[in-house]
Amino acid sequence: MPTPSMEDYLERIYLLIEEKGYARVSDIAEGLEVHPSSVTKMIQKLDKDEYLVYEKYRGLILTSKGKKIGKRLVDRHQLLEEFLRLIGVEESHIYADVEGIEHHLSWNSITQIESLVEYFNGDPKRLEELRSVQNDTTTEN
């Protein structure tokens, strides 16, 4: 299983390939706000662990293992963003909050959050009830 740092790289690489068709060291470094030398080291580790294939000066491609995990990580990130929006977290806090919690939740917790999101999205009345409870709590404070 990848470390949280490896997950960040795999998620970023997966997104870049989905968006641009490729992922360059400079793009990864910029997206993760790290030095290109750090990216190169991590890419070599991800290559060794068979998440991607890296050829110096030629670029990289995700292996099927890397693609599967990259997609799963992107989906997890999007689910947590959706969940935080659903429960009323201010938009300006969502990205940082997701970055702070995504590596600390078990996949079981992610599955349960997904069920909860589906539950509320399945019937608009449920979401109205949630908002009503939230508004009652806000007015009491």
Side-chain angles (χ1 to χ4, degrees):
M1 207 55 195
T3 64
S5 180
M6 292 167 78
E7 286 183 348
D8 286 340
Y9 279 84
L10 286 168
E11 183 179 359
R12 173 59 49 199
I13 291 166
Y14 182 87
L15 282 171
L16 285 167
I17 291 173
E18 285 293 302
E19 292 168 7
K20 298 173 130 185
Y22 59 90
R24 296 184 317 208
V25 168
S26 59
D27 295 328
I28 299 165
E30 182 181 326
L32 295 175
E33 298 178 351
V34 297
H35 292 285
S37 60
S38 299
V39 174
T40 301
K41 287 178 189 169
M42 180 59 80
I43 285 175
Q44 290 168 344
K45 179 162 180 41
L46 292 169
D47 184 17
K48 179 179 158 278
D49 292 347
E50 300 179 346
Y51 292 106
L52 55 80
V53 176
Y54 174 64
E55 293 181 27
K56 199 170 184 178
Y57 307 117
R58 297 202 63 194
L60 60 92
I61 58 167
L62 289 170
T63 61
S64 59
K65 174 181 168 181
K67 283 180 193 173
K68 180 180 176 185
I69 291 182
K71 180 173 180 1
R72 190 174 186 199
L73 296 170
V74 168
D75 291 347
R76 174 183 72 184
H77 190 101
Q78 291 170 343
L79 172 69
L80 291 172
E81 282 187 0
E82 184 179 0
F83 173 68
L84 293 180
R85 272 188 200 94
L86 185 86
I87 62 171
V89 173
E90 290 179 32
E91 195 66 35
S92 61
H93 296 273
I94 289 177
Y95 183 80
D97 286 352
V98 169
E99 287 297 311
I101 64 173
E102 67 183 337
H103 300 296
H104 302 286
L105 294 172
S106 68
W107 285 105
N108 179 259
S109 294
I110 297 297
T111 301
Q112 299 309 318
I113 289 171
E114 184 176 31
S115 297
L116 189 61
V117 167
E118 288 173 3
Y119 173 79
F120 280 108
N121 286 337
D123 183 351
K125 289 181 182 178
R126 294 175 186 150
L127 198 51
E128 289 173 23
E129 289 174 13
L130 175 64
R131 297 284 179 251
S132 174
V133 169
Q134 289 172 327
N135 289 336
D136 290 347
T137 306
T138 304
T139 8
E140 290 174 6
N141 294 332

